[in-house]
Amino acid sequence: MKPESGKRAGLSLGLAAVSAVLAGVFLTGCGSSADSGKTVIEIVQYKPEAADYFEALEEEFNTTHDDIELKISSPKEEQL
């Protein structure tokens, strides 16, 4: 694999993550306020190979945003 192929794959996955977050914001009407006063953004993604990435993204996002809570669900195939 060429080095630029790895960079493209990382960039593509990053763009997919950003797109998913933005889609979640628009689809939830800017989220909802939980009892804690935080804006909650809920996203469901169905790519099992990306579940670990989105879990890490959710954790990092939530530690860096005090007023927003990101919830990303990755249902398993048997739940579909």
Side-chain angles (χ1 to χ4, degrees), residues 1-77:
M1 178 185 284
K2 295 181 182 179
E4 50 276 343
S5 295
K7 287 182 182 180
R8 272 193 217 140
L11 181 60
S12 294
L13 190 53
L15 288 173
V18 170
S19 296
V21 170
L22 291 175
V25 169
F26 291 118
L27 293 175
T28 60
C30 297
S32 61
S33 294
D35 291 337
S36 65
K38 291 183 175 184
T39 299
V40 178
I41 300 171
E42 295 179 312
I43 298 172
V44 178
Q45 71 86 25
Y46 294 98
K47 293 200 150 268
E49 64 273 12
D52 291 337
Y53 175 79
F54 279 104
E55 185 177 312
L57 177 73
E58 176 183 5
E59 187 176 322
E60 182 180 344
F61 184 91
N62 288 332
T63 59
T64 58
H65 295 82
D66 295 332
D67 58 339
I68 302 172
E69 181 180 358
L70 180 62
K71 294 181 180 181
I72 302 175
S73 300
S74 301
K76 296 186 169 133
E77 283 187 33

